[in-house]
């Protein structure tokens, strides 16, 4: 069946918002964590975690449970933003 369009749209809009905010805070992030080996992975992890909470909240609002396939699709949605986040730190 796949993830409902409304849920997908909400998750993707939140990811996009977080990427925009990361761009704004990039100078602070780089200065605040000078000894971090991979800030890109750290930011990706934070964004993916936040997106997961949005994903689950959207199902909760609809009083439904995500299926195994929904989680796989969620992973695909989030992973397509990894290169975009990586490019911020190059």
């Amino acid at each position: 069946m796949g993830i409902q369009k409304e849920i997908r749209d909400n998750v993707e809009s939140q990811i996009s918002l977080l990427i925009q905010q990361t761009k704004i805070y990039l100078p602070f992030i780089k200065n605040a964590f000078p000894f971090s080996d991979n800030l890109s992975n750290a930011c990706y992890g934070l964004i993916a975690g936040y997106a997961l909470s949005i994903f689950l909240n959207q199902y909760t609002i609809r009083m439904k449970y995500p299926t195994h396939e929904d989680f796989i699709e969620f992973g695909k949605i989030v992973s397509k933003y990894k290169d975009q986040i990586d490019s911020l730190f190059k």
Side-chain angles (χ1 to χ4, degrees):
M1 183 169 124
I3 297 174
Q4 291 179 347
K5 182 180 179 344
E6 298 84 21
I7 294 174
R8 174 187 292 276
D9 290 347
N10 199 314
V11 167
E12 288 187 333
S13 71
Q14 291 298 314
I15 291 171
S16 294
L17 174 66
L18 288 171
I19 290 172
Q20 290 302 317
Q21 288 177 339
T22 302
K23 287 178 185 176
I24 292 168
Y25 292 115
L26 199 54
F28 166 77
I29 293 169
K30 288 181 177 181
N31 286 323
F33 304 103
F35 301 110
S36 294
D37 291 335
N38 198 330
L39 289 173
S40 174
N41 279 345
C43 286
Y44 176 75
L46 288 171
I47 290 171
Y50 181 76
L52 178 61
S53 70
I54 295 299
F55 173 75
L56 294 173
N57 283 335
Q58 288 297 309
Y59 274 92
T60 302
I61 289 169
R62 290 164 177 76
M63 296 193 318
K64 294 183 178 184
Y65 296 99
T67 65
H68 177 73
E69 290 78 20
D70 293 337
F71 280 108
I72 291 171
E73 192 173 341
F74 168 79
K76 290 177 183 177
I77 291 169
V78 174
S79 67
K80 73 181 184 182
Y81 291 94
K82 180 136 180 46
D83 290 339
Q84 189 176 355
I85 294 167
D86 285 342
S87 71
L88 296 174
F89 293 91
K90 292 185 178 179

